[in-house]
Amino acid sequence: MAEMVRKSSADEILNHWILAVSCILLIITGFAFLFQMESVGSVFGGFNTMKTVHNWGGVIFSLSLLYSMRHYLKDAFEYDADDRQWFKVAGGYLSKNVKVPPMGKYNPGQKLYYLAILLAGIAISLSGFGIWLMKENATVMLLSHLVHNVAFIIFVIAVPVHIYLSTLANPGTFRIMVSGTLPLETAKKKYPKWMKAAGKM
Ligand code: HEM
């Protein structure tokens, strides 16, 4: 049997699923509020219950987002010369004729994706609590609605791209979010600097 290496710990896998499921639930219910989609509302037993689900889903999402810092924040702030070169060749996504530099545990696209989710996530959570709990303050309501909608647009663009890149576009990646492991040979090819640092090559 192929030797495996662990990329994600058990608590990272669990937290990612909590983050993903709560985020997708919030996006679906958020869309339904925005466009007054009665059919989606009826799945939750009406808009009032859907609002309760959205609010408490937001609490779960916020806690999960805070916990995710433990897994990704340090890496997301570290960029070396190879990472800078990765930006210059656009990660190799736009042309087959460029040389993609060797990568560590996460590529710069993933690191920036994390920072975007973290910042937009903090903004959408704080503004969500503003809308939920500070109804009597007109200024807070106005600002919160603005921030909530702008952050929502970021999520609606970034999350589908992330799901596509983690599944169809890069076969074999999805299993990391299920089992946390991948074959050593694959890891050596995809993340050579991480494997070198771990003493595996
Ligand atoms: C449901 C479909 C999803 C799938 C299949 C998926 C898959 C993955 C995979 C495989 C990784 C690890 C990448 C690696 O180690 O190479 C990852 C990381 C991550 N996921 Fe997801 N994910 C999904 C949904 C979400 C959602 C909805 C969010 C929204 C907040 C999210 C946020 C993140 C973050 C912040 C990371 C760490 C940074 C990164 O690797 O880009 N994921 N995901």
Side-chain angles (χ1 to χ4, degrees), residues 7 16 20 72 106 110 113-114 159 162-163 166 173-174 177:
K7 193 169 187 213
H16 178 268
Y72 311 117
Y106 296 102
Q110 290 173 299
Y113 170 74
Y114 179 65
V159 169
H162 168 71
I163 295 175
S166 315
T173 309
F174 178 65
M177 276 298 121

Side-chain angles (χ1 to χ4, degrees), residues 24-195:
I24 290 169
L25 184 71
L26 288 163
I27 290 177
I28 293 170
T29 50
F31 250 114
F33 286 125
L34 205 58
F35 299 108
Q36 290 296 306
M37 296 156 80
E38 300 280 352
S39 51
V40 179
S42 65
V43 173
F44 293 89
F47 278 104
N48 281 341
T49 340
M50 190 165 81
K51 183 87 199 131
T52 310
V53 170
H54 189 82
N55 288 352
W56 288 99
V59 174
I60 293 169
F61 172 81
S62 309
L63 293 175
S64 175
L65 185 72
L66 287 179
Y67 193 69
S68 76
M69 290 200 271
R70 191 187 144 105
H71 304 126
Y72 311 117
L73 194 64
K74 187 171 168 289
D75 283 310
F77 278 113
E78 286 170 357
Y79 298 84
D80 63 13
D82 287 326
D83 287 337
R84 285 189 285 279
Q85 181 60 21
W86 187 94
F87 283 115
K88 285 193 191 141
V89 298
Y93 287 111
L94 303 180
S95 164
K96 293 237 178 297
N97 304 321
V98 293
K99 193 174 174 306
V100 181
M103 287 289 108
K105 192 173 182 187
Y106 296 102
N107 70 40
Q110 290 173 299
K111 297 183 206 182
L112 285 187
Y113 170 74
Y114 179 65
L115 291 179
I117 291 294
L118 182 64
L119 288 180
I122 291 172
I124 212 161
S125 303
L126 289 179
S127 56
F129 287 120
I131 295 168
W132 184 9
L133 304 170
M134 299 183 76
K135 287 195 178 54
E136 62 297 333
N137 187 323
T139 317
V140 170
M141 284 301 269
L142 192 69
L143 273 178
S144 295
H145 273 105
L146 179 70
V147 172
H148 211 65
N149 287 345
V150 172
F152 184 63
I153 293 169
I154 295 174
F155 272 89
V156 168
I157 296 170
V159 169
V161 174
H162 168 71
I163 295 175
Y164 170 68
L165 289 176
S166 315
T167 53
L168 295 177
N170 291 296
T173 309
F174 178 65
R175 64 164 294 151
I176 300 171
M177 276 298 121
V178 180
S179 67
T181 60
L182 74 161
L184 175 62
E185 288 312 310
T186 313
K188 282 181 181 173
K189 274 187 215 124
K190 287 179 80 174
Y191 323 103
K193 291 204 297 188
W194 174 47
M195 285 294 95

